[in-house]
Amino acid sequence: MALRTHEFIQCQEDRKRPLILSEFTGSYSFMGFRSCFVINPYDARHTADAMAAALTISDEEAESRWNDLHKHIVAQTAQAFVTSFLSRTLRAHAEHTQRPFDTIPSLPPLKNDSKIIQEFRSSHKRLILLGIENTLVQHDPRTTRDLSLVIPQNVLELLQKLSEDERNVIYLLSSRPVAGALEKVADALPYVGIIAEDGCYLKAKAHRGETTEFVSLVDNVSMQWKEPCVEILNYFTERTPGSFIEDRGASIRWRYWPGDPNDSELPWARRQAAEAQNHIWDSLGEKFGLRIVPATRSFLVLPQSASRQSAVESILRPEGAPKFENSELLASHSPNPQSPGELPFDFILAIGGEERLLNRLNALPHSVTVSTSLKKNSNAHWRLDRNDVVAQLENLANA
């Protein structure tokens, strides 16, 4: 790919004049060049209009466009390419080497003679990570506008019992928002930590006599993307019957199909969802550092730095997770799996369907990973039917 457009932007460091770029060039295929004046060179009228706009643009807008373009080209270094390439390669390798789910052994009953129970009893500090949706609570597959979350009373009592042991540090992981959903769970379980909105917010586990609050883990990320994202989704919502937008604290979910999954109109809704994702990524994705997570009949848009894995990394730091909004947030590096002395836990149990998180925890010493996912492949140590999760946790509490 020719780099003349990159060179032009760098040469405009003093004048900051705009760039006119053909939509057929390789540079325009990179999302960071969306702040240029794009043209179809075979459309003479449109090309003339773009040239006129570029010549008459205000200095403020020209500088804004140049800053966006310059920010992109200075970030595309050889080091950035190597890091991105290696991370994608390692991710693809990890997914390729996952075992078929039916070959993973089922978690045996956690009884007194269980090796896991023996290790659990001998440990001094335990981290217990539990998914909420499709693990503790069976998620209703029907699309609903109700974001509230109801955890059965027997499960709340079980979690309360586990949290009474000061050696147990329990965190619940959820995609639900704080307001109207997880804040109620936090009130019912004051000594249980919570990771909300897939890692956008975290409430640290409180000790007896203290309180903690939900802390944003994306506080340093601009939320200016949300308004244009909602505008794009409003366009598709008007054209997709039954769809609606969930505007959350630091993320947005678009639910595009509320009806029967066997309905003949579902393929149309899926095409609309794919097109909506493309529009969001093209106009906002790279500019604001976003990622899009597809799900069953919906997709989630959130900052790229937010994930359940990164939230758990903050818990694994020796100093622990931030407890208040003005606390120091995530460190720039993750705990080193090869340095077990740095970890504040000598036993880690994770039960849920977040395969990347389970794969990350496999590298840590004294970890037990249990997958409740219905995916075909997993690297978890054990698999567990969702209906058996509560019974196994009862065994753990009685131990």
Side-chain angles (χ1 to χ4, degrees), residues 120-134:
F120 176 79
R121 284 175 171 170
S122 63
S123 59
H124 300 287
K125 195 70 175 291
R126 311 146 176 166
L127 176 62
I128 302 175
L129 304 170
L130 303 171
I132 294 183
E133 293 90 350
N134 296 323

Side-chain angles (χ1 to χ4, degrees), residues 368-379:
V368 178
T369 55
V370 183
S371 176
T372 60
S373 171
L374 297 178
K375 296 180 180 179
K376 294 182 179 180
N377 301 307
S378 174
N379 276 330

Side-chain angles (χ1 to χ4, degrees), residues 125-145:
K125 195 70 175 291
R126 311 146 176 166
L127 176 62
I128 302 175
L129 304 170
L130 303 171
I132 294 183
E133 293 90 350
N134 296 323
T135 300
L136 292 177
V137 176
Q138 301 310 307
H139 178 62
D140 186 350
R142 294 174 300 176
T143 302
T144 174
R145 296 175 183 266

Side-chain angles (χ1 to χ4, degrees), residues 277-293:
Q277 292 178 59
N278 289 337
H279 275 275
I280 293 170
W281 178 252
D282 287 349
S283 58
L284 304 171
E286 192 165 352
K287 180 178 180 180
F288 289 100
L290 305 177
R291 68 188 181 104
I292 302 175
V293 183

Side-chain angles (χ1 to χ4, degrees), residues 257-319:
W257 186 253
D260 185 349
N262 298 318
D263 195 297
S264 61
E265 294 297 325
L266 179 56
W268 157 256
R270 284 177 174 159
R271 287 195 295 271
Q272 288 288 88
E275 190 172 345
Q277 292 178 59
N278 289 337
H279 275 275
I280 293 170
W281 178 252
D282 287 349
S283 58
L284 304 171
E286 192 165 352
K287 180 178 180 180
F288 289 100
L290 305 177
R291 68 188 181 104
I292 302 175
V293 183
T296 303
R297 292 179 280 170
S298 71
F299 63 82
L300 181 70
V301 185
L302 71 167
Q304 198 168 38
S305 59
S307 69
R308 298 188 184 192
Q309 180 176 331
S310 61
V312 171
E313 297 285 7
S314 73
I315 299 168
L316 293 173
R317 296 185 304 168
E319 62 270 31

Side-chain angles (χ1 to χ4, degrees), residues 43-329:
D43 186 340
R45 172 75 63 180
H46 182 228
T47 301
D49 291 341
M51 294 174 65
L55 291 170
T56 58
I57 193 175
S58 68
D59 291 341
E60 291 77 12
E61 184 179 351
E63 183 175 359
S64 175
R65 286 173 175 264
W66 182 87
N67 285 333
D68 285 342
L69 293 168
H70 188 258
K71 187 185 302 181
H72 172 73
I73 65 169
V74 297
Q76 302 304 310
T77 63
Q79 182 63 45
F81 171 78
V82 170
T83 302
S84 175
F85 177 78
L86 287 177
S87 65
R88 291 173 182 269
T89 302
L90 290 172
R91 188 187 310 147
H93 173 73
E95 293 176 354
H96 181 71
T97 56
Q98 286 180 339
R99 295 178 292 170
F101 195 74
D102 56 4
T103 65
I104 301 174
S106 296
L107 182 69
L110 299 179
K111 302 296 185 180
N112 291 333
D113 57 348
S114 167
K115 182 179 178 181
I116 296 175
I117 289 298
Q118 293 175 6
E119 188 174 358
F120 176 79
R121 284 175 171 170
S122 63
S123 59
H124 300 287
K125 195 70 175 291
R126 311 146 176 166
L127 176 62
I128 302 175
L129 304 170
L130 303 171
I132 294 183
E133 293 90 350
N134 296 323
T135 300
L136 292 177
V137 176
Q138 301 310 307
H139 178 62
D140 186 350
R142 294 174 300 176
T143 302
T144 174
R145 296 175 183 266
D146 185 10
L147 291 178
S148 62
L149 181 65
V150 178
I151 297 181
Q153 186 61 34
N154 66 312
V155 177
L156 291 175
E157 293 173 356
L158 176 59
L159 294 172
Q160 186 66 38
K161 181 179 179 180
L162 283 168
S163 68
E164 289 174 355
D165 189 335
E166 283 294 328
R167 292 174 296 177
N168 295 339
V169 177
I170 304 174
Y171 276 87
L172 305 180
L173 287 66
S174 176
S175 62
R176 300 294 179 95
V178 174
L182 294 176
E183 60 185 1
K184 297 179 181 178
V185 178
D187 292 338
L189 299 170
Y191 303 116
V192 172
I194 299 176
I195 295 173
E197 280 195 44
D198 287 306
C200 292
Y201 295 92
L202 182 147
K203 180 183 180 295
K205 189 260 185 189
H207 297 288
R208 300 295 169 183
E210 72 171 359
T211 59
T212 58
E213 60 187 33
F214 280 97
V215 174
S216 172
L217 299 183
V218 291
D219 197 46
N220 59 342
V221 177
S222 171
M223 290 294 156
Q224 294 180 354
W225 62 271
K226 292 189 69 180
E227 184 176 348
C229 182
V230 170
E231 290 180 3
I232 294 173
L233 291 176
N234 279 333
Y235 173 87
F236 286 94
T237 300
E238 293 173 357
R239 291 157 178 78
T240 310
S243 63
F244 61 93
I245 304 168
E246 293 176 0
D247 191 350
R248 307 177 176 197
S251 62
I252 295 175
R253 182 178 292 277
W254 190 52
R255 298 194 181 272
Y256 57 83
W257 186 253
D260 185 349
N262 298 318
D263 195 297
S264 61
E265 294 297 325
L266 179 56
W268 157 256
R270 284 177 174 159
R271 287 195 295 271
Q272 288 288 88
E275 190 172 345
Q277 292 178 59
N278 289 337
H279 275 275
I280 293 170
W281 178 252
D282 287 349
S283 58
L284 304 171
E286 192 165 352
K287 180 178 180 180
F288 289 100
L290 305 177
R291 68 188 181 104
I292 302 175
V293 183
T296 303
R297 292 179 280 170
S298 71
F299 63 82
L300 181 70
V301 185
L302 71 167
Q304 198 168 38
S305 59
S307 69
R308 298 188 184 192
Q309 180 176 331
S310 61
V312 171
E313 297 285 7
S314 73
I315 299 168
L316 293 173
R317 296 185 304 168
E319 62 270 31
K323 296 184 177 181
F324 300 99
E325 197 62 57
N326 58 353
S327 302
E328 181 183 354
L329 296 181

